């Protein structure tokens, strides 16, 4: 489990700007005593860090820090501490940061690895192999010569073994001591201490227990055991005493893990196994669910000099499954005098036991009565700490670092500024009595997570190509994933955090909504960004009348939905699939040409499938079959089978370099940005930043997983009956344990063994349906295919928008534009695309007549010559393909094209073969055009003799040459064209 290192001089893999690894020598470890001596003995060289620590009354210098974490925690810590180094010391490299990096994080292009000075690759897999492996962390810190370890949140941050082992090795832990962490970090012990200190507590499994700490700073074991529930039966007994609903908690859990709410005994027994699996080995306890409560917390920091400061607090009441979604501050729901009592209680609790470092004391608050109850104390920094930073101006990771260097809290500049003191002064601050400057702004934070809000916020994993977000003066954010990165199955689901501020809560709320609307995540993961916009827009959130159960209620009722016209979603999904289909076929043909596989030119079915094909999809229990007709290289006509009207919609799809499609429907006033990603369970569509899943029509006799992770266990045995809506298996994904629910009733047949690594879409079990006739199936679409704001159209021409032109401009320009559009349609028909022959030819003739006739500055002969130029262009386009294919075999023609274009432009070959595959329609169009030529002079010359015979309407030499070539075509498919060309030559008495 240990990284391989050479003796004495250690080689550490370091990312360079190109993303590759290089080797950088690192000096052997220096003893902490030697570092501490730098405070006492002035160096002959300028040493800003040592001078700062000495001037501020510190006890040790920390020059090199191991970041024992990943993701958001590692990213934020390096950003914040490096910022402090530069602003306070003038050197952003004053402290060196070493990161730990698993293969999954390296592959995901995790941002923190780029930010770190060095990194050490650690074993892959779950965090017990790497970021939560205390022995590994300590070993790396010692071998890399680190003076301190920053634990962050999650992983090993609350494991008392880490600070204890580091202390034994002479390495500073940036956080509380092991005994204090043990007693406060454990939620059971913390509640016993709260009761001992007479802090109000909620009814729980340890009601009435009090204790004095042992010499080691822990709760006596016999008292601790009394508060625990160790079996499902004990949990049920405690719940019967406390009263349902109850919350079962793992004392070492956090971040939504190891906590479940139960309404009855059946749910409690099931939840007991889930909590045990999510936080293995953790003691468990139970609390009564406090209804209509707000979740408020106080940010505290203690130092080794006995000081404890409260840095205001946060309201984290918007949570689902006890996982916070929005965090905000200050907690305006609590009157200032009551919240000050909560701050002082938090200070007393932590100060009495010598707490060192940053921590959070959490309370449940009843707004109606003003009562508050101790919930827990988290002996670590929390992910939402930037809310406090935005309110107080205090850089919390840098405060942690300075406290770890032994600097008193009242000598730290950020803290002194908060208390309106001279930042360079040394006068004492009484944190229990002196008041800090109250915040004049409100901050609201939103977590950006890889979760699917349509499926109860199930975690998702996969690649992330890029994230689009722009900070503003009122909103900033940070992300743990870089370009071409991702969120892997062992990572936390959160990969970003936004923070909006304003003079009032309402200003901050509006700023947050605008920022969320501008966040776009391109990749395979689902996000809840769109849902957060709708959530922040609800009346309850705007009026601040929510409680901790509010969001779970909304999710259960599905009362918050991301709004969008279903038919618009179907239109864009059809376009995404159509574009992907034709792009894939073109790539296959191009590969054939490169390999010299000439027979591909005879693949009539493949060529036809590039022009006409169906796409199928299901959305909100409605099944759609869309018949797609390709109108050009990037435009398609869409018609839904079963629609009451068979009018279609024509859309153009242009692809940007990042893969985003810009879809423009004909007749629409706007374009749509679309990203379509095919997943095992269906198409995930990102439409103008909103994400929708269009699932495949699944076989109800197959039970498939919709998450990637590990199969923990089946809840039923092979051959057992399972009921619709009931769980049949438990899986672990993104460090969360969740249940998979049966969509139908029947007899289960297990297909995968417990412990299997699973991917989304994998078959876990078969299901012999109890009653196949009752299976819910998608209903075929019926009705009008009319997406909001888009008019049906199956026309050939992209009409210009004349609304912004004057009448005179319109009269002068519309005939030119109409002719250009008609020429484009004619060209597309000759290129093989699906356009009606007769209407397209007539459109061309009419457009040509009207435009040439409108050129009043030209005489009749000049008008005829102009008309002949347009006709000649069309005929030449036809001949460019048919002259090549008309006098040799298809393979021979393609062989010539391959020799000329296969290397540099295989698409040219495909275009020619596609056009040739539609020779019948192309020939009909040219024959129709040639048959109408005799009537053209009378329409365009409009003066003098206009007879077709003789020299009154002469044909140019170029057109004559093309007509002669047409007349010599001898294949059956060219018969009508050759005859029409020969007749013209005869009528004009041309040899």
């Amino acid at each position: 489990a240990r990284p391989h290192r050479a003796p004495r001089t250690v080689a550490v893999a370091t990312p360079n700007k190109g993303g590759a690894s290089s080797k950088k020598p690192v000096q052997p470890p220096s003893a902490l005593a030697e570092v501490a001596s730098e405070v006492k003995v002035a160096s002959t060289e300028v040493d800003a860090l040592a001078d700062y620590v000495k001037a501020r009354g510190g006890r040790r210098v920390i020059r090199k820090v191991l970041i024992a974490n990943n993701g958001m925690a590692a990213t934020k810590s390096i950003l914040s501490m490096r910022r402090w180094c530069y602003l306070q010391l003038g050197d952003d490299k004053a402290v060196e940061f070493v990161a730990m990096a698993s293969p999954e994080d390296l592959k995901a292009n995790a941002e923190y690895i780029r930010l770190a000075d060095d990194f050490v690759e650690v074993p892959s897999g779950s965090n017990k192999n790497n970021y939560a492996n205390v022995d590994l962390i300590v070993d790396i810190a010692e071998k890399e010569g680190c003076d301190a370890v920053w634990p962050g949140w999650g992983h090993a941050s609350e494991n008392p073994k880490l600070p204890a082992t580091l202390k034994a090795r002479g390495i500073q832990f940036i956080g509380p001591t092991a005994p204090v962490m043990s007693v406060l970090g454990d939620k059971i012990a913390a509640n016993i201490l709260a009761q001992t200190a007479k802090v109000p507590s909620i009814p729980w499994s340890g009601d009435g227990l009090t204790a004095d700490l042992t010499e080691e700073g822990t709760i006596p074991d016999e008292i601790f055991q009394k508060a625990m529930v160790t079996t499902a039966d004990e949990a049920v007994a405690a719940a019967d005493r406390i009263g349902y609903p109850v919350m079962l908690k793992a004392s070492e859990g956090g971040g939504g893990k190891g906590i479940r709410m139960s309404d009855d005994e059946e749910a409690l027994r099931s939840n007991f196994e889930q909590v045990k699996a999510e936080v293995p080995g953790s003691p468990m306890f139970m609390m009564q669910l406090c209804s209509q409560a707000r979740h408020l917390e106080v940010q505290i920091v203690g130092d080794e000099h006995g000081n404890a400061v409260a840095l205001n607090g946060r309201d984290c009441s918007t949570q689902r499954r006890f996982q916070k979604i929005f965090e905000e501050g200050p907690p305006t729901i609590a009157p200032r005098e009551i919240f000050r009592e909560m701050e002082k209680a938090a200070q007393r609790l932590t100060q009495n036991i010598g707490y060192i470092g940053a921590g959070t004391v959490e309370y449940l608050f009843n707004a109606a009565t003003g009562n508050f109850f101790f919930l827990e104390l988290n002996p670590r920094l929390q992910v939402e700490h930037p809310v406090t930073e935005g309110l107080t101006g205090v850089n919390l990771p840098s405060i942690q670092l300075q406290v770890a260097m032994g600097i008193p809290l009242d000598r730290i500049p950020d803290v002194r500024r908060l208390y309106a003191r001279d930042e360079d002064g040394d006068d004492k601050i009484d944190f229990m009595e002196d008041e800090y400057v109250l915040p004049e702004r409100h901050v609201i934070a939103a977590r950006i997570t890889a979760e699917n809000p349509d499926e109860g916020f199930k975690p998702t994993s996969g690649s992330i190509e890029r994230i689009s977000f722009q900070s503003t003066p009122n909103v900033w954010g940070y992300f743990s994933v870089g370009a071409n990165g991702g969120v892997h199955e062992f990572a936390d689901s959160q990969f970003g955090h936004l923070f909006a501020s304003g003079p009032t809560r309402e200003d901050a709320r509006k700023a947050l909504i605008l920022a969320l609307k501008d966040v776009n995540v391109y990749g395979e993961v689902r996000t809840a960004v769109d849902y957060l916009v709708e959530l922040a827009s609800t009346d309850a959130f705007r009026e601040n009348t929510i409680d901790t159960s509010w969001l779970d209620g909304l999710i259960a009722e599905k009362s918050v939905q991301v709004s969008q016209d279903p038919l618009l979603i179907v239109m864009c999904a059809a376009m995404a699939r159509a574009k992907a289909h034709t792009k894939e076929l073109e790539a296959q043909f191009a590969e054939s040409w490169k390999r010299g596989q000439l027979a591909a030119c005879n693949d009539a079915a493949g060529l036809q499938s590039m022009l006409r094909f169906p796409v199928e999809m299901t959305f909100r229990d409605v099944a759609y079959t869309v018949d797609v007709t390709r109108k050009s290289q990037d435009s398609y006509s869409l018609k839904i089978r079963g629609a009451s009207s068979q009018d279609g919609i024509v859309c153009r799809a242009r692809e940007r370099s990042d893969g985003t499609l810009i879809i423009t429907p004909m007749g629409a006033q706007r374009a749509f940005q679309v990203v379509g990603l095919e997943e095992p369970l269906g198409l995930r569509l990102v439409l103008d930043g909103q994400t929708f899943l269009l699932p495949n029509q699944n076989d109800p006799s197959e039970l498939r997983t919709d998450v990637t992770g590990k199969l923990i266990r089946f809840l039923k045995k092979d051959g057992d009956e399972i009921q619709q809506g009931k769980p049949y298996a438990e899986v672990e994904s993104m460090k969360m344990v969740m249940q998979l629910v049966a969509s139908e009733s029947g007899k289960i047949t297990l297909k995968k063994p417990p412990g299997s690594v699973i991917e989304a879409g994998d078959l876990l079990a078969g299901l012999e349906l109890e009653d196949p006739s009752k299976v819910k199936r998608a209903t075929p679409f019926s009705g009008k295919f009319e997406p909001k704001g888009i008019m049906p159209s199956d026309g050939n021409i992209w009409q210009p928008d004349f609304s912004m032109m004057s009448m005179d401009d319109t009269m002068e320009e519309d005939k030119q534009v109409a002719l250009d559009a008609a020429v484009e349609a004619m060209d597309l028909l000759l290129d093989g695309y699906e356009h009606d022959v007769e209407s397209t030819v007539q459109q061309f003739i009419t457009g040509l007549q009207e435009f040439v006739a409108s050129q009043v500055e030209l005489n009749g002969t000049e008008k005829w010559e102009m008309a002949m130029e347009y006709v000649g262009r069309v005929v030449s386009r036809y001949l460019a393909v048919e002259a090549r294919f008309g006098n040799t075999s298809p393979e021979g023609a393609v062989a010539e094209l391959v020799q000329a274009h296969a290397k540099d432009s295989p698409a040219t070959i495909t275009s020619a073969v596609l056009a040739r595959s539609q020779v019948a329609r192309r020939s009909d169009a040219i024959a129709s055009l040639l048959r109408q030529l005799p009537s053209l002079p009378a329409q365009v010359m409009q003066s003098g003799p206009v007879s077709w015979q003789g020299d009154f309407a002469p044909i140019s030499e170029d057109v004559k040459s093309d007509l002669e070539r047409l007349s010599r075509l001898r294949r059956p498919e060219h018969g009508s064209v050759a005859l029409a060309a020969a007749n013209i030559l005869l009528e004009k008495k041309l040899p």
Side-chain angles (χ1 to χ4, degrees), residues 137-358:
I137 293 170
V138 175
D139 184 65
I140 292 173
E142 189 170 48
K143 290 182 180 297
E144 298 302 324
C146 295
D147 304 316
V149 171
W150 187 85
W153 48 86
H155 298 312
S157 64
E158 297 183 55
N159 188 342
K161 181 183 175 183
L162 181 57
T165 309
L166 287 171
K167 182 178 180 180
R169 303 284 185 94
I171 301 171
Q172 185 72 22
F173 178 73
I174 302 180
T177 61
V180 172
M181 176 183 286
S182 177
V183 73
L184 283 183
D186 186 283
K187 296 173 178 60
I188 295 174
N191 275 277
I192 294 174
L193 280 179
Q195 289 180 158
T196 304
K198 302 188 184 305
V199 177
S201 296
I202 300 169
W204 67 299
S205 55
D207 271 342
L209 294 176
T210 60
D212 294 324
L213 297 179
T214 64
E215 292 183 0
E216 292 78 21
T218 61
I219 297 291
D221 188 62
E222 64 275 10
I223 296 178
F224 189 90
Q225 294 286 340
K226 290 179 181 179
M228 291 171 52
V229 290
T230 59
T231 67
D233 288 339
E234 287 184 11
V236 170
D240 289 339
R241 177 177 61 81
I242 295 170
Y244 290 98
V246 295
M247 287 192 296
L248 183 67
K249 293 187 174 186
S251 63
E252 296 172 5
K257 292 178 287 295
I259 181 169
R260 289 290 189 279
M261 189 272 286
S262 304
D263 284 313
D264 52 40
E265 180 178 339
E266 180 184 1
L268 178 57
R269 290 185 180 276
S270 176
N271 288 335
F272 186 88
E273 299 300 327
Q274 291 188 53
V275 171
K276 187 165 69 173
E278 280 189 356
V279 191
S282 171
M284 288 187 283
F285 69 105
M286 186 179 299
M287 305 177 70
Q288 187 182 73
L289 180 65
C290 183
S291 61
Q292 298 181 335
R294 300 291 287 252
H295 179 123
L296 307 186
E297 51 191 42
V298 174
Q299 178 69 62
I300 56 98
V301 183
D303 66 20
E304 58 190 73
H305 305 276
N307 300 309
V309 63
L311 300 173
N312 204 264
R314 302 177 287 264
D315 185 339
C316 302
S317 301
T318 308
Q319 41 183 271
R320 51 101 192 138
R321 260 184 6 191
F322 311 107
Q323 174 73 39
K324 299 163 187 173
I325 299 294
F326 293 139
E327 305 101 350
E328 58 180 294
T332 55
I333 193 67
R336 175 58 196 165
E337 60 275 12
I338 294 179
F339 192 73
R340 183 61 183 135
E341 291 179 27
M342 298 165 74
E343 289 180 320
K344 288 186 175 182
Q347 289 174 271
R348 285 195 303 270
L349 183 61
T350 54
Q351 196 172 32
N352 288 347
I353 57 171
Y355 186 91
I356 299 173

Side-chain angles (χ1 to χ4, degrees), residues 23-168:
K23 294 293 183 179
K24 180 178 178 180
V26 179
Q27 297 301 317
S30 56
L32 193 61
E34 294 176 4
V35 177
S37 68
E38 296 177 23
V39 181
K40 300 177 181 179
V41 181
S43 172
T44 57
E45 300 178 0
V46 175
D47 190 337
L49 180 58
D51 291 345
Y52 176 85
V53 173
K54 181 180 179 181
R56 299 287 170 175
R59 294 175 175 175
R60 64 194 67 86
V61 176
I62 294 175
R63 299 188 184 278
K64 191 172 186 179
V65 177
L66 173 66
I67 305 298
N69 214 300
N70 64 341
M72 297 291 292
T75 302
K76 177 59 166 61
S77 66
I78 298 174
L79 288 171
S80 292
M81 287 189 275
R82 187 160 280 157
R83 174 182 172 84
W84 173 79
C85 287
Y86 182 76
L87 294 179
Q88 189 66 54
L89 307 174
D91 179 9
D92 62 332
K93 298 293 185 180
V95 177
E96 186 178 354
F97 300 101
V98 179
M100 300 167 62
S102 69
E104 291 86 358
D105 280 323
L106 287 166
K107 182 180 179 181
N109 194 24
E111 181 72 3
Y112 76 93
I113 301 174
R114 182 187 68 82
L115 294 172
D117 297 288
D118 301 323
F119 75 85
V120 176
E121 186 168 348
V122 294
S124 63
S126 64
N127 67 353
K128 67 183 179 182
N129 300 332
N130 38 66
Y131 307 107
N133 187 327
V134 170
D135 292 337
L136 177 65
I137 293 170
V138 175
D139 184 65
I140 292 173
E142 189 170 48
K143 290 182 180 297
E144 298 302 324
C146 295
D147 304 316
V149 171
W150 187 85
W153 48 86
H155 298 312
S157 64
E158 297 183 55
N159 188 342
K161 181 183 175 183
L162 181 57
T165 309
L166 287 171
K167 182 178 180 180

Side-chain angles (χ1 to χ4, degrees), residues 908-963:
T908 301
I909 309 171
T910 304
S911 296
V913 172
L914 181 66
R916 172 61 185 174
S917 73
Q918 304 298 308
V919 61
R921 296 173 56 255
R922 300 171 73 249
S923 296
D924 286 347
I926 294 300
S928 176
L929 174 62
L930 295 180
R931 286 193 294 268
Q932 296 186 60
L933 277 185
S935 64
L936 193 59
Q939 298 296 326
V940 301
M941 297 177 72
Q942 294 183 331
S943 63
V946 290
S947 171
W948 173 244
Q949 285 76 21
D951 297 327
F952 296 108
I955 293 178
S956 68
E957 288 299 318
D958 288 341
V959 174
K960 172 187 172 183
S961 175
D962 283 346
L963 290 172

Side-chain angles (χ1 to χ4, degrees), residues 569-585 609-619 622-630 636-641 678 683 694-697 781 785:
I569 295 168
V570 169
M571 181 195 79
C572 291
M575 286 296 295
R577 279 188 163 161
K579 187 70 175 178
H581 170 82
T582 54
K583 189 176 180 180
E584 180 181 4
L585 283 179
S609 184
M610 293 179 68
L611 299 173
R612 284 183 176 272
F613 51 90
V615 295
E616 297 181 343
M617 65 197 69
T618 303
F619 186 62
V622 178
Y624 302 85
T625 299
V626 183
D627 289 318
V628 181
T629 303
R630 198 173 183 188
Y636 305 80
S637 170
L638 310 176
K639 293 183 179 181
I640 297 181
R641 293 182 193 174
E678 293 290 352
L683 173 69
L694 289 84
N696 298 327
Q697 294 195 41
F781 174 77
F785 181 31

